[in-house]
Amino acid sequence: MEILAFGVTADEKPLLERAFAGEHEARCLEVFLTEDTAPIAAGYEIVSSSVNADLNARVLNILDAGGTRMIAQRSTGFNNIDLDVAARLGMTVGRVSFYSPYSVAEFAWTLAMAVNRRIVRASIRTRDFDFRLNGLMGRDMRGRTVGVLGTGKIGEAFTRIAHGFGMNLLGWDAVENPACAALGMTYVQKEELFASSDLISLHVPLLDSTHHIIDAAALKAMRDDAILVNSSRGGLIDTEALVTELRAGRFSGIGLDVYEAEAGVFFLDKSLETVEDDTLARLVTFPHVVVTSHQAYYTSDAVGQIIETTVRNVADYLAGRRSENTLVPGPA
């Protein structure tokens, strides 16, 4: 059987093709799954989507009309899929419920240290043979306080690195993680975490209850010289409120691997186009802000695990099995 995979990067393509080789075959497309591209899937029973696909009701109905019965999403997040419509159409939907938490945790720390030690600014200067140190002063992390919002697998991995730096550990989550507590983490209300942390890193999923968890009030509660890092989901931060605070000269550094309006922008080359998103355009002009394009997960280890799980999800669907990765089981 041939599986149609949307949103496949050049690095991912050989891994995906090799994983499906044998009993199945993967046709890999660079384009993302949207209302415009969904008709390409006509005749394909199984479609694999990437995290930036837009599987709204219209897209799902197009896929259904073309004969698609199974969607294998190559990501943990699934807020881009209308699961109710998929269930009504009798589709099976699977995701990757787990992959290397170290890829995201390590990248979150990469962002934190990049903004703390002004790495991007220093690199740009030295390319122009400007080796002055003015404006490049950072801070030691040892002895400072880190606040971790969300202490699941990724949050725990991030906390272990913070512990290695010798930081004071604050955490906030609906359920406390004993492994983080064993490292010396103190769980507090998020308002106390905002006010007390030198570095804040977000590792919660995007739900109705966490949308804009970093809103104007949360930003104002943070220290003026705090560092804020988001490698989870863009919708966790009210970006317009963040820009307002940055314009007021607040925060030592901001590291963002995600952006709440990234759909249609991230993963694409927009370098020759006029930027229509005024908020994003303003955000990237601040010298102490680093924005990357949703690449925290993008290691050979994590992508390999994502693909292996996707292959298993397809096998489970064909065998009529369900697993912890099944979001919508389809007809019995």
Side-chain angles (χ1 to χ4, degrees), residues 8-310:
V8 180
T9 68
D11 298 323
E12 186 184 11
K13 182 177 180 181
L15 301 175
L16 197 58
E17 290 177 336
R18 186 160 56 247
F20 275 109
E23 185 175 354
H24 306 297
E25 181 179 350
R27 179 189 173 194
C28 298
L29 302 179
E30 187 175 351
V31 297
F32 304 125
L33 180 53
T34 65
E35 189 173 354
D36 292 331
T37 61
I40 301 174
Y44 286 90
E45 181 179 348
I46 301 173
V47 167
S48 179
S49 57
S50 57
V51 67
N52 55 311
D54 184 6
L55 287 127
N56 58 37
R58 294 187 300 276
V59 172
L60 290 172
N61 276 287
I62 293 171
L63 293 176
D64 177 64
T68 298
R69 307 314 313 149
M70 194 265 179
I71 297 168
Q73 174 131 306
R74 303 188 309 280
S75 73
T76 298
F78 54 89
N79 54 289
N80 60 319
I81 307 173
D82 192 326
L83 298 180
D84 292 335
V85 172
R88 178 172 56 78
L89 294 172
M91 288 182 169
T92 297
V93 180
R95 63 149 177 170
V96 178
S97 58
F98 175 81
Y99 61 85
S100 168
Y102 309 107
S103 59
V104 178
E106 290 171 6
F107 193 84
W109 266 108
T110 301
L111 286 175
M113 295 309 296
V115 296
N116 177 40
R117 301 307 301 270
R118 318 301 191 210
I119 297 300
V120 174
R121 183 187 295 184
S123 177
I124 293 172
R125 281 188 186 180
T126 55
R127 286 177 179 270
D128 291 331
F129 293 92
D130 179 353
F131 297 97
R132 294 173 297 170
L133 297 181
N134 295 337
L136 301 183
M137 184 175 288
R139 294 178 290 177
D140 291 359
M141 288 290 103
R142 182 174 181 82
R144 286 192 159 81
T145 299
V146 62
V148 185
L149 261 73
T151 55
K153 292 182 176 65
I154 296 173
E156 178 186 332
F158 183 90
T159 300
R160 291 187 181 280
I161 299 171
H163 181 261
F165 272 106
M167 301 188 75
N168 303 313
L169 310 174
L170 296 181
W172 177 87
D173 207 325
V175 179
E176 296 185 9
N177 185 335
C180 292
L183 292 171
M185 173 173 279
T186 301
Y187 279 86
V188 296
Q189 295 299 313
K190 60 180 182 293
E191 291 77 14
E192 181 179 345
L193 185 148
F194 296 149
S196 303
S197 299
D198 298 290
L199 165 63
I200 297 170
S201 191
L202 309 183
H203 301 288
V204 294
L206 180 59
L207 308 169
D208 289 342
S209 59
T210 60
H211 180 257
H212 284 185
I213 191 170
I214 305 299
D215 57 10
L219 292 165
K220 289 186 181 301
M222 295 177 191
R223 295 179 175 179
D224 288 344
D225 62 351
I227 294 172
L228 174 64
V229 172
N230 186 11
S231 58
S232 183
R233 287 292 181 268
L236 299 176
I237 297 179
D238 182 339
T239 316
E240 290 189 10
L242 175 59
V243 169
T244 297
E245 296 302 312
L246 288 169
R247 287 170 63 95
R250 300 190 63 229
F251 304 126
S252 175
I254 304 293
L256 304 176
D257 185 52
V258 288
Y259 173 60
E260 61 180 326
E262 68 183 53
V265 179
F266 279 24
F267 305 106
L268 299 171
D269 181 3
K270 297 289 186 176
S271 60
L272 299 178
E273 300 179 22
T274 300
V275 178
E276 298 180 355
D277 187 330
D278 292 337
T279 303
L280 179 60
R282 186 72 177 101
L283 188 64
V284 299
T285 64
F286 293 101
H288 56 312
V289 173
V290 172
V291 178
T292 53
S293 53
H294 207 141
Q295 68 182 80
Y297 79 98
Y298 203 56
T299 67
S300 57
D301 308 86
V303 172
Q305 292 171 2
I306 288 169
I307 291 173
E308 289 174 5
T309 301
T310 301

